[in-house]
Amino acid sequence: MNSSSSAVPHHIAIVMDGNGRWATRRLLPRLAGHKQGVDSLRRCARACAERGVGVLTVFAFSSENWNRPADEVSGLMDLLAKALAREVPDLHKDGVQLHFVGDKASLSEKVRAGLQQAEAITAGNTRLVLNVCFNYGGRWDIAQAAAALAERGEPITEAGLDRAMALSHVADPDLLIRTGGEMRISNFLLWQCAYSELVFSDRLWPEFDEAALDEAIAAYASRERRFGKTSAQVQKSSRSASVQT
Ligand code: IPE
Ligand code: IPE
Ligand code: MG
């Protein structure tokens, strides 16, 4: 473990990519990959809780995913509604506090009510905070935060924007993982990932298992997080912290 970061990240964010390819390789419709992706998320959330991760934030549907074929988009909306009905009781039992993050205005009334109900049921849970980013875009988030400040007549400052951002209930991600082999952010947490450690995995999301998660956490633990300082400064302050504890 590197002296300047704790072994297990407090907040992990994941771009869950590769569902379509997983299905296509098996000659299945893309939606079969998305269904498998829900199971993979369930497994990943459980594994994160077991490892002491406090917050898991996942990218489930981007602002740009509306541009996919209509049948895939409607399949994903149906899958969200079904996954809610099927998974929320178990997540609640496991102590997961659910949040849905994104522009809810363009979701159907029925889906919106389902999301709200799931959040209300799990609000008191403390084992793992699970943020599901659905109809989310990093640019949308920054713009909506700025609009909220403007509407209240507040000055546009970093601290003000931070408080108005959709993930203001959690600290910034320590580790950002993208599965599926692509090395890009695709408009995910543009503001919040300013100092996140990035790990790219070639595994497709449905195949991202506990071993792959442990590999990503091990890569994170080997990094030195400097936040603009020099390596010597970071090592000095972590030495004096370990003397105190
Ligand atoms: C990610 O998997 C899930 C969503 C974007 C909804 P993809 O559907 O992008 O899978 P690939 O990248 O086509 O394999
Ligand atoms: C990013 O994946 C969005 C989600 C995982 C929800 P995409 O598959 O949409 O990203 P691009 O289009 O390859 O950049
Ligand atoms: Mg993709």
Side-chain angles (χ1 to χ4, degrees):
M1 185 193 114
N2 190 286
S3 55
S4 62
S5 54
S6 33
V8 175
H10 170 67
H11 182 175
I12 298 182
I14 307 183
V15 180
M16 308 185 292
D17 194 25
N19 294 347
R21 277 164 285 167
W22 182 91
T24 304
R25 282 178 198 172
R26 285 164 179 75
L27 306 177
L28 295 168
R30 290 177 58 85
L31 203 63
H34 296 312
K35 283 187 187 144
Q36 200 69 28
V38 175
D39 292 345
S40 194
L41 173 55
R42 193 70 198 82
R43 172 175 63 192
C44 184
R46 195 171 295 138
C48 282
E50 284 166 4
R51 282 154 184 75
V53 172
V55 183
L56 174 64
T57 300
V58 295
F59 206 7
F61 189 88
S62 77
S63 317
E64 289 74 31
N65 287 147
W66 293 105
N67 296 323
R68 293 191 175 196
D71 62 335
E72 183 166 346
V73 172
S74 64
L76 283 163
M77 296 299 150
D78 278 357
L79 186 59
L80 173 66
K82 284 192 184 122
L84 276 175
R86 207 182 53 213
E87 305 291 342
V88 169
D90 269 3
L91 289 168
H92 183 42
K93 239 183 275 162
D94 288 352
V96 174
Q97 185 188 114
L98 265 170
H99 295 262
F100 292 93
V101 175
D103 185 1
K104 298 188 181 100
S106 40
L107 303 178
S108 76
E109 186 60 50
K110 197 174 147 225
V111 168
R112 272 209 305 262
L115 301 185
Q116 223 163 40
Q117 199 187 13
E119 287 181 336
I121 291 170
T122 62
N125 295 335
T126 54
R127 187 152 185 246
L128 176 78
V129 173
L130 174 58
N131 300 308
V132 179
C133 296
F134 199 94
N135 196 19
Y136 177 87
R139 289 178 173 180
W140 164 81
D141 198 1
I142 294 167
Q144 69 78 25
L149 294 187
E151 184 160 333
R152 297 198 293 261
E154 288 178 30
I156 311 277
T157 61
E158 275 195 33
L161 283 168
D162 220 30
R163 279 193 299 274
M165 215 65 75
L167 278 180
S168 61
H169 57 290
V170 291
D172 286 347
D174 301 293
L175 168 62
L176 171 73
I177 301 170
R178 181 172 184 143
T179 65
E182 311 290 358
M183 293 193 221
R184 54 178 173 255
I185 299 290
S186 299
N187 196 19
F188 195 27
L189 306 166
L190 300 179
W191 176 271
Q192 298 85 348
C193 282
Y195 268 103
S196 305
E197 295 297 328
L198 309 182
V199 170
F200 297 96
S201 167
D202 285 331
R203 296 272 190 116
L204 301 174
W205 174 248
E207 293 168 340
F208 191 81
D209 57 10
E210 288 89 346
L213 177 68
D214 286 334
E215 227 174 89
I217 292 176
Y220 166 82
S222 73
R223 307 272 177 90
E224 181 181 65
R225 304 186 74 189
R226 288 194 286 277
F227 298 97
K229 293 182 179 174
T230 67
S231 186
Q233 282 177 300
V234 169
Q235 283 174 22
K236 192 172 165 215
S237 66
S238 73
R239 264 200 308 276
S240 60
S242 66
V243 168
Q244 277 162 23
T245 50

